[in-house]
Amino acid sequence: MTPDFDPVALAVPFFVLAIVLEIILGRLGRAKANYEPRDTFTSLAMGLGSTTAGLLTGGAIFAASLWVYEHRLFEIPMTAIWAWVALFLLEDMTYYWFHRLAHERRFWWASHVNHHTSQHYNLSTALRQTWTGGVAGTWLLWLPLSLIGFPPAMVAIQKGISLVYQFWIHTEAIGRMPRWFEAVFNTPSHHRVHHARNPRYLDRNYAGVLIIWDRLFGTFQAELDEEPCRYGVVKNLGTFNLLRVAFHEWAAIGRDLLTARSPREAAGYLFGPPGWSLDGSRETSDQIRARWAATQPEALSREAAAATGPTPAARSESLV
């Protein structure tokens, strides 16, 4: 049985109203909101397709969660406040590692990349979601929560709460939040960095709700006033074709696998970092960042010095 309380479904009217409001405020010059009609339509259509795909795979995924829960290690009641607090922390850390995996390994990047294909950053971008997440199997990362003893319905609700939270951080209309908030929570400023294709910003800030995981695991990067975010992927698609947006990286993997000359090369194309190639003719995010860093020694020295300041929200870590 799926959970009766679905935070995402309940939030859909809010999503629509918030997007309309952001568009109006942008048109009136009261907020920074860059919308392009075809891009917005693509994001909304991807969101609808993702919902449909979720309906097709959601039952099997939830059934797998129930099976694991039948072999649970502990009894955790849904009515206990401590259980919700513990689940919030564990689920949020799980989301961090899922999100990091989805950027650092090509197989899972293929199902996530469509979320990053917009060259605009607004609330509609939050709805540009995957059609192939269920097939890619990243949902397996949440099964240990049910094995511990959290009821699958409880896990599903918490995942929904996390997704609803992440909607509002897809905007340029909000600058920086108070320092204490920036230090603990994921914010529009932090998430703008995540969506940026600047070498300094590539593959940073994987957080769902709490930015503390990025600070703890060394993937945090502050948004810098002197370097505005440029959105999209390293090589932008240049098309609004839905099928290309949804499946272009899967198609690219298929083409690479056809040229693979050994199991090692095939494994590299499938599970290596995005941009990996045997002959080095393409670049991974780490290689792009390293090449950029080699030309920025003074800027990085200033950045490293700033990292010793008193306020974590004002810090930006060295990329070297």
Side-chain angles (χ1 to χ4, degrees), residues 25 45 51 61 79 89 124 181 234 254 265 277 313:
L25 291 176
T51 300
I61 293 171
T79 55
L89 294 172
S124 75
F181 197 90
V234 172
E265 188 174 354
S277 60

Side-chain angles (χ1 to χ4, degrees), residues 137-184:
T138 48
W139 52 271
L140 292 166
L141 295 175
W142 277 267
L143 291 184
L145 297 178
S146 295
L147 180 62
I148 291 172
F150 292 102
M154 190 177 179
V155 176
I157 290 170
Q158 183 55 51
K159 288 178 68 177
I161 292 171
S162 176
L163 288 176
V164 171
Y165 177 91
Q166 292 176 58
F167 173 78
W168 77 279
I169 62 178
H170 290 82
T171 185
E172 293 186 293
I174 299 174
R176 288 183 177 84
M177 306 297 289
R179 287 181 174 179
W180 69 268
F181 197 90
E182 295 277 345
V184 177

Side-chain angles (χ1 to χ4, degrees), residues 19 21 50 59 81 118 149 180 189 219 291:
I19 290 171
L21 179 61
S50 178
I81 294 177
S118 177
W180 69 268
S189 178
T219 52
R291 175 167 52 81

Side-chain angles (χ1 to χ4, degrees), residues 189-259:
S189 178
H190 296 328
H191 207 58
R192 284 193 289 271
V193 167
H194 178 71
H195 273 259
R197 59 188 178 91
N198 313 45
R200 183 197 300 266
Y201 295 153
L202 283 177
D203 289 352
R204 292 293 184 259
N205 298 359
Y206 297 115
V209 177
L210 301 175
I211 199 66
I212 59 173
W213 310 119
D214 287 285
R215 297 183 185 278
L216 180 63
F217 297 118
T219 52
F220 176 72
Q221 170 63 52
E223 181 182 28
L224 304 177
D225 292 334
E226 63 269 25
E227 186 165 352
C229 295
R230 303 191 305 274
Y231 302 111
V233 290
V234 172
K235 294 183 178 179
N236 285 313
L237 292 180
T239 180
F240 296 108
N241 183 293
L242 283 177
L243 294 180
R244 280 208 64 197
V245 172
F247 301 112
H248 71 277
E249 188 63 19
W250 291 113
I253 289 176
R255 290 192 296 270
D256 284 337
L257 289 176
L258 290 175
T259 67

Side-chain angles (χ1 to χ4, degrees), residues 67-131:
W67 183 86
V68 171
Y69 182 65
E70 290 176 357
H71 300 82
R72 58 192 177 275
L73 302 176
F74 306 101
E75 289 289 341
I76 300 178
M78 286 186 67
T79 55
I81 294 177
W82 67 264
W84 284 100
V85 173
L87 178 60
F88 166 69
L89 294 172
L90 290 171
E91 193 283 327
D92 201 52
M93 186 171 65
T94 300
Y95 181 88
Y96 168 88
W97 285 108
F98 142 73
H99 203 180
R100 185 167 177 174
L101 177 69
H103 277 255
E104 295 185 350
R105 296 297 146 187
R106 193 183 185 192
F107 180 81
W108 293 283
W109 172 243
S111 71
H112 180 65
V113 62
N114 58 79
H115 182 61
H116 287 264
T117 52
S118 177
Q119 293 177 248
H120 302 278
Y121 192 72
N122 52 57
L123 291 175
S124 75
T125 308
L127 306 183
R128 186 178 290 221
Q129 295 293 330
T130 181
W131 292 3

